[in-house]
Amino acid sequence: MPESIIELKNLTKTYQNDDVETLVLRGLDLTIQAGEFVALMGPSGSGKSTLMHILSFLDRPTNGSYMYRGRDVTALTADERAALRLSDIGFVFQAFHLLPKLNVLENVMLPLVYAGASIADRKQRATEALQNVGLGERLDFLPNQLSGGQKQRVAIARALINNPSVIFADEPTGNLDSVSSEQVLGILSDLHRDGKTVVMVTHEPDAAAHAKRIIRMKDGVITA
Amino acid sequence: MRIPDLVRTSSDSLRRNTSRSFLTVLGIVIGIAAVIVMLSIGQGAQGYVLNQVANLGSDVLFVESGNGGGGPPSPFVQQTLNLKDAAALAKRGPFTVVSSVVITNAAVSAQENSTFTDIAGSDEFQLDIFPAEIATGRFIDHEDVTSSARVAVLGWDIAKDLFGDQDPIGERITIRNLPARVIGVVTPQGSKFFSNLDKRIYLPVTTTQRELLNVDYVSYISMKAIGDIEIAKDEARAILRDTHAIDNPNADLAKDDFSVSSQSDAVNIIAGVGFALTLLLASIAAISLVVGGIGIMNMMLVSVTERTREIGLRKAIGGTEQDILRQFLLEAIMLTIGGGVLGITVGIFFSFLASLALKAFVDGWVFVIPPSAIISAFLVSTVVGIAFGYYPAKRAAKLDPIEALRYE
Ligand SMILES: Nc1ncnc2c1ncn2[C@@H]1O[C@H](COP(=O)(O)OP(=O)(O)OP(=O)(O)O)[C@@H](O)[C@H]1O
Ligand SMILES: [Mg+2]
């Protein structure tokens, strides 16, 4: 019996801008088991990214409960959420978000800097992570010297460097051609096989097909 | 984030923008350099001035006309002192030496040379107060003073100016229309009380009064006191009130038409002026550093905006608000400390150049860099970095990571 890693009950999110209230998530109930590979689909504006941000401790829900590994995380402070992101979460963004002035190795080492690892340890682990995504030869390249697919593989190496429990990927193939997309999806599938929990937002049915479960959203509610 | 990583992160991002970092701190560099130069010149000036007055010994008193007290003798003050005052002081006061002098200046000529120089109408005691060696011949004596003799003693430089390498003893010089015979030359003295003693011609005080100026005052009287200097001052005042017929039983200095001061009074006044000057320089410095600090703040705010995505990413992967705050604050502090160090270097360089220029015009000028100036410049630039770096750093730390990641 796998343990549930994410458990949402009646979760809502409201954005308050001046006098306008926008209800973006309208009472979500969702359970994700540890080790699942989940694809989150739905039309633009349905609240997928908003949900991902809450799940990954970047944002807080307005109401409802969020239990992470059996622990209520709705009331955590900013520092506690930062610590959880550091230890438990890996991010892959559609726009890569590599720091342009750091080389590939330095970009991948960055989470280890915040984790306080020794320099030798950082170098060794980052080099290994880059070899695992097939970029062992490009350690001192700058991001703008890489193709989109290579950038996303660097981002995945960075997401994995702290050995997180959950990988959140928000449209990871949105900016990639089909060959690069397949490479990235292959890596995510490998991670799932190695026991990581993977939550991926995508618009492409081909990409979603790699996941073991598809969650569909519309207008801030889960439809399937 | 650990401290070494913090330092490396901040210094790396400054180094990647070297030219911008340099331009940003230029205000601080100029501010600090200006402070160093001003403090160096200020200290040099104060040292020079103190040296001008501080070598006579603590038992020397001066009497001048007017009740202003302190400062060099002014030509605009009613001249109230005369030789009778000096005689009364010598007779009744606790003084070992009393010397009168009347200062003026005049055209002098000898043979084919002529020039314009300081004249000190002096009695035979002048060199007991302002110690000087006679190079050749002799100084003015008692007989010269009582007989208003037409004799002159030359300072070292003026002797050279008028006679070159020739021995001037026994030669004739003409001061205005007054002919006088040279009886002595004084060894080089340098400058004291802001006049070059080596350009001076000594005549008997009586000769100067009667034959050159047609007056009976003296410019000032100097004495060497026995015992407590404050008591000696009071006694000198009592004697002069008597000879000047001033009714002043409460010893109200404002009622006197003369003032008595000691060398330490002059030193205190100069030290006071020096303090005021330092205060003035400090406020100019403060203004320039605030302006420099605003430049830093402006640049840091631009930098925070430009690096919004970087900040968002750093927060997303686990950087805390503290981490971000420290990174940006440290960047600002490193900038200002770098600017401070550069400013100190530039300041020392220009202070040295200034001292070279001043030495050419002012005898006895010394190049000084007060260590306190360097230490305070260093501290001040750190404080400026913290003060003006904090707000931008706080802004960076408070950025919402979601907004920041979405920022284009
Ligand atoms: N800061 C905000 N203030 C107000 N409304 C917001 C804010 N952020 C997002 N929204 C709104 O929330 C809704 C959901 O946005 P979200 O980014 O989660 O959609 P999405 O499903 O990820 O869409 P896409 O597929 O286009 O990425 C949108 O209608 C959006 O306008
Ligand atoms: Mg989205």
CSV table of all heavy atoms in Angstrom, one decimal, chain A residues 48-50 94 170-171 201 203, ligand 2:
chain,number,residue,atom,x,y,z
A,48,LYS,N,-3.9,25.4,-13.6
A,48,LYS,CA,-2.9,24.4,-13.4
A,48,LYS,C,-1.6,24.9,-12.7
A,48,LYS,O,-1.1,24.3,-11.8
A,48,LYS,CB,-2.5,23.8,-14.8
A,48,LYS,CG,-3.7,23.3,-15.6
A,48,LYS,CD,-3.2,22.7,-17.0
A,48,LYS,CE,-2.6,23.8,-17.9
A,48,LYS,NZ,-3.5,24.8,-18.4
A,49,SER,N,-1.1,26.0,-13.3
A,49,SER,CA,0.1,26.6,-12.7
A,49,SER,C,-0.1,27.0,-11.2
A,49,SER,O,0.7,26.8,-10.3
A,49,SER,CB,0.6,27.8,-13.5
A,49,SER,OG,1.0,27.3,-14.8
A,50,THR,N,-1.3,27.6,-11.0
A,50,THR,CA,-1.6,28.1,-9.6
A,50,THR,C,-1.5,26.9,-8.7
A,50,THR,O,-1.0,26.9,-7.6
A,50,THR,CB,-3.0,28.7,-9.6
A,50,THR,OG1,-3.0,29.7,-10.6
A,50,THR,CG2,-3.3,29.3,-8.3
A,94,GLN,N,8.9,25.8,-17.9
A,94,GLN,CA,8.9,25.9,-19.4
A,94,GLN,C,10.0,26.8,-19.9
A,94,GLN,O,10.6,26.6,-20.9
A,94,GLN,CB,7.5,26.5,-19.8
A,94,GLN,CG,7.4,26.7,-21.3
A,94,GLN,CD,6.0,27.2,-21.6
A,94,GLN,OE1,5.1,27.4,-20.8
A,94,GLN,NE2,5.7,27.4,-22.9
A,170,ASP,N,6.4,22.3,-15.1
A,170,ASP,CA,5.3,23.1,-15.6
A,170,ASP,C,5.5,23.3,-17.1
A,170,ASP,O,6.4,24.1,-17.5
A,170,ASP,CB,5.1,24.4,-14.9
A,170,ASP,CG,3.8,25.1,-15.2
A,170,ASP,OD1,3.1,24.7,-16.2
A,170,ASP,OD2,3.4,26.0,-14.4
A,171,GLU,N,4.8,22.5,-18.0
A,171,GLU,CA,5.0,22.5,-19.4
A,171,GLU,C,6.5,22.4,-19.8
A,171,GLU,O,7.0,23.3,-20.5
A,171,GLU,CB,4.4,23.8,-20.0
A,171,GLU,CG,2.9,23.9,-19.7
A,171,GLU,CD,2.3,25.1,-20.4
A,171,GLU,OE1,2.6,25.3,-21.6
A,171,GLU,OE2,1.4,25.7,-19.8
A,201,VAL,N,2.7,19.4,-15.8
A,201,VAL,CA,1.6,20.1,-16.5
A,201,VAL,C,1.9,20.1,-18.0
A,201,VAL,O,3.1,20.3,-18.4
A,201,VAL,CB,1.5,21.6,-16.1
A,201,VAL,CG1,0.5,22.4,-17.0
A,201,VAL,CG2,1.0,21.7,-14.6
A,203,HIS,N,0.1,20.5,-22.2
A,203,HIS,CA,-1.1,20.6,-23.1
A,203,HIS,C,-1.1,19.5,-24.2
A,203,HIS,O,-2.0,19.4,-24.9
A,203,HIS,CB,-1.0,22.0,-23.8
A,203,HIS,CG,-1.3,23.1,-23.0
A,203,HIS,ND1,-2.6,23.4,-22.6
A,203,HIS,CD2,-0.6,24.1,-22.5
A,203,HIS,CE1,-2.6,24.5,-21.8
A,203,HIS,NE2,-1.4,24.9,-21.7
C,2,MG,MG,0.5,27.7,-16.6
